[in-house]
Amino acid sequence: MSPWSVSRLLDEECSQQAEAVLRRASMYLEGRVVGTVAACEASPDVQNYRECFVRDFAVSAAAYLEVGETEVVRNFIETVASLHPDQAGSTIPPADGLMPASFTVERDDNGRECVIADYGQRAIGRVAPVDSALWWLLILRAYQNASGDTGLARSGEVRAAIERVLEYYLRPQFEMLPSLLVPDGSSMIDRRMGVHGHPLDIQVLFWAGMRAGLELLPEDHELAGPVFRRLAALGRHLREDYWLDRKRVEVIRRFPVEEFGTLLANPWNLHPDAIPVWTMAWLAERGGYYAGNLAPARLDVHFFTLGNLLAVSTGLATPEHAEALFDLIEHHRRDLLSDTGMKLTYPALEGRDWYLLTGSDQKNVPWSYHNAGTWPMLLWPLASAARVVGRSELAAEVVAQAAPRLAFDDWPEYYDGPYGGLIGRRSRLEQTWTVAAVLAAAVLLEDPEAPDPFAFARDEALEEAIAAAKPDAVDRVD
Ligand code: GLC
């Protein structure tokens, strides 16, 4: 019997098939499983899908940790902690503290196994993966929660890696805001999509990664203070400035513009026309969500699913925002959910926007892949967030409907179309985070009381600090 068949959402055959793909995805180093390849499909056109991606492994880790299989996660954490960007062979290596998008095990000239990491120097998007180190921190914390092993985070190489990452992510930049300024395509969306600047998905991961860091370090560690202060400022900024609902849109539509000084009604200098018509229709009735991106004169109102869902499970979203987000998801269910997963972004970039912002990317054509494609892997963050707001039924219904369809289609990476009905034109099959998401989501939804190793409880001290935090760039007139 499969350890994941505890969930009644999956029939035995489905969970066995999913488990078989997950196990087959195992990547070995010196006889130990240290990760999972992104896809098991045997086609020659798999490119880098035979590598272990750090972000993809988070979903495998969730599936393994939920059924008590902790060793593979520990091996992964140690393997990634041992990698350094100066091994990448780039003329200008990225700073230590960046973790790779992916790695693979190869044999050197002497026949010895060695790990080769990709920091973006080989990837098609050629961009540094800002999200990897944040995912790594979250995986380490989840491992600690699930196994009770607090020793790993204290061991030499792992402790050093935590410190490197936190120091790097807290380093002052060319920046006036508490959010991270990042290049386009530096997270799950790893090709040009116009998501440079301060994209929500990365800001929420930054928040979550810093929260994990705080739990992993001793209380009196010298980084604990700076991490806590950044969390307070970031929490305030994301909750107040990114949030969109009908009330907020009405305020933005009446903003004065071109104000000078420090006491402003419209510190972002947003022009009312920054709100596209579809948003007015979307937000007129119910609900709200965190905008996709924000900086002066730049409000991207696209809906980014991963950031919004993780905001709920990592405690960034206030209880009111979390409720409103699920109201929105339920209200726009046909736009966002289908029996194959959830839209990664909404709506699609079309016409001239697609042409300019994606660089006319043929893989990111409208309603495909990152450009409003439907991703089964999002069932995992959906399940995790739904539990927090007591809407497990919604997620359970979607997972129960999706699982047999995904199994029938051989576990595709993504689906195409405004309603996610067609297998993605260039989708891989036997995609590991597709099977892992179904397994992990099903276990989470089976027992809403069972611990979710990736979720965060409310932290009163942090809540107080957020409430007391001042806006950084400017003072607002409220
Ligand atoms: C694609 C996705 C990326 C994922 C990788 C492996 O590049 O955009 O998010 O990590 O495939 O599945």
Side-chain angles (χ1 to χ4, degrees):
M1 206 172 92
S2 158
W4 289 275
S5 53
V6 290
S7 171
R8 281 159 296 176
L9 290 181
L10 303 181
D11 65 32
E12 184 64 28
E13 202 188 324
C14 196
S15 53
Q16 272 173 7
Q17 271 185 35
E19 176 182 1
V21 176
L22 181 62
R23 303 252 185 235
R24 199 141 32 86
S26 299
M27 177 183 276
Y28 290 87
L29 175 67
E30 292 159 2
R32 301 177 321 151
V33 180
V34 294
T36 48
V37 297
C40 288
E41 182 188 351
S43 119
D45 175 37
V46 289
Q47 307 235 20
N48 51 353
Y49 283 81
R50 299 300 299 169
E51 305 213 349
C52 174
F53 282 73
V54 172
R55 69 178 75 89
D56 296 41
F57 185 79
V59 194
S60 302
Y64 277 127
L65 293 176
E66 284 169 20
V67 296
E69 294 194 27
T70 57
E71 202 184 317
V72 38
V73 183
R74 182 187 174 104
N75 296 342
F76 166 89
I77 292 162
E78 288 175 332
T79 304
V80 176
S82 73
L83 301 171
H84 295 269
D86 57 6
Q87 299 152 350
S90 323
T91 331
I92 308 174
D96 216 4
L98 187 77
M99 284 188 165
S102 64
F103 63 87
T104 185
V105 177
E106 288 179 7
R107 288 199 182 271
D108 65 14
D109 296 344
N110 303 318
R112 270 194 310 261
E113 281 184 336
C114 55
V115 180
I116 310 285
D118 183 9
Y119 292 87
Q121 79 276 15
R122 288 188 287 131
I124 294 167
R126 293 285 190 285
V127 77
V130 177
D131 64 337
S132 286
L134 303 169
W135 278 118
W136 181 83
L137 288 171
L138 289 172
I139 296 167
L140 171 54
R141 169 188 173 269
Y143 163 81
Q144 183 167 296
N145 281 345
S147 66
D149 170 10
T150 51
L152 182 63
R154 282 197 234 121
S155 68
E157 206 164 42
V158 174
R159 166 65 68 84
I162 301 172
E163 291 170 348
R164 277 202 307 275
V165 171
L166 294 176
E167 275 164 13
Y168 182 46
Y169 280 73
L170 291 176
R171 190 175 292 177
Q173 300 166 335
F174 299 109
E175 190 49 296
M176 309 295 289
L177 298 169
S179 43
L180 276 184
L181 177 64
V182 302
D184 203 354
S186 53
S187 65
M188 176 178 177
I189 296 171
D190 56 3
R191 295 159 77 120
R192 270 184 68 185
M193 272 281 289
V195 288
H196 55 279
H198 307 83
L200 177 73
D201 285 3
I202 291 190
Q203 309 316 323
V204 177
L205 277 169
F206 183 34
W207 155 273
M210 293 298 111
R211 282 199 76 177
L214 211 52
E215 288 182 23
L216 293 165
L217 290 175
E219 269 176 34
D220 58 355
H221 193 283
E222 60 182 18
L223 283 168
V227 170
F228 186 81
R229 285 192 291 278
R230 185 66 171 258
L231 275 168
L234 183 67
R236 189 218 62 84
H237 176 47
L238 295 174
R239 284 179 184 174
E240 283 186 18
D241 301 326
Y242 278 63
W243 183 251
L244 289 176
D245 55 15
R246 182 165 68 87
K247 228 173 100 210
R248 180 75 184 146
V249 166
E250 283 168 353
V251 171
I252 297 175
R253 293 182 70 237
R254 289 177 173 79
F255 264 159
V257 291
E258 311 293 351
E259 299 166 290
F260 178 76
T262 54
L263 199 66
L264 310 174
N266 176 10
W268 306 104
N269 197 28
L270 299 175
H271 286 259
D273 292 341
I275 303 288
V277 171
W278 70 265
T279 324
M280 288 151 64
W282 236 47
L283 286 175
E285 290 150 272
R286 289 176 65 198
Y289 64 99
Y290 293 100
N293 211 332
L294 180 72
R298 181 152 196 254
L299 172 67
D300 181 350
V301 298
H302 280 87
F303 182 84
F304 285 78
T305 303
L306 186 64
N308 270 289
L309 293 176
L310 289 179
V312 175
S313 51
T314 62
L316 170 70
T318 61
E320 298 73 33
H321 285 175
E323 282 288 330
L325 174 67
F326 271 79
D327 284 348
L328 180 108
I329 293 172
E330 284 192 340
H331 195 71
H332 295 289
R333 190 170 171 160
R334 184 145 166 76
D335 288 340
L336 295 174
L337 293 169
S338 68
D339 64 359
T340 54
M342 193 163 180
K343 290 268 165 49
L344 179 59
T345 57
Y346 182 89
L349 296 172
E350 299 189 88
R352 204 169 156 74
D353 283 349
W354 166 77
Y355 177 73
L356 291 176
L357 292 173
T358 72
S360 135
D361 187 339
Q362 299 301 311
K363 197 167 176 183
N364 269 332
V365 292
W367 308 106
S368 182
Y369 198 46
H370 304 134
N371 191 5
T374 294
W375 289 67
M377 73 71 76
L378 292 169
L379 295 172
W380 168 59
L382 175 70
S384 177
R387 282 166 41 121
V388 174
V389 281
R391 311 262 186 121
S392 295
E393 272 161 43
L394 169 75
E397 210 180 290
V398 180
V399 172
Q401 266 176 7
R405 166 79 192 266
L406 298 174
F408 181 81
D409 289 347
D410 215 3
W411 311 103
E413 177 190 16
Y414 67 95
Y415 284 78
D416 285 350
Y419 304 114
L422 302 174
I423 295 177
R425 199 161 57 156
R426 291 173 58 187
S427 165
R428 303 272 72 88
L429 299 180
E430 299 190 335
Q431 179 82 17
T432 308
W433 65 2
T434 298
V435 294
V438 169
L439 295 173
V443 173
L444 286 179
L445 295 166
E446 175 62 24
D447 177 7
E449 299 304 313
D452 175 351
F454 279 85
F456 287 78
R458 187 180 159 89
D459 175 335
E460 290 308 334
L462 186 55
E463 289 301 321
E464 275 171 33
I466 291 173
K470 289 257 180 303
D472 278 69
V474 274
D475 291 326
R476 272 214 326 229
V477 185
D478 284 320

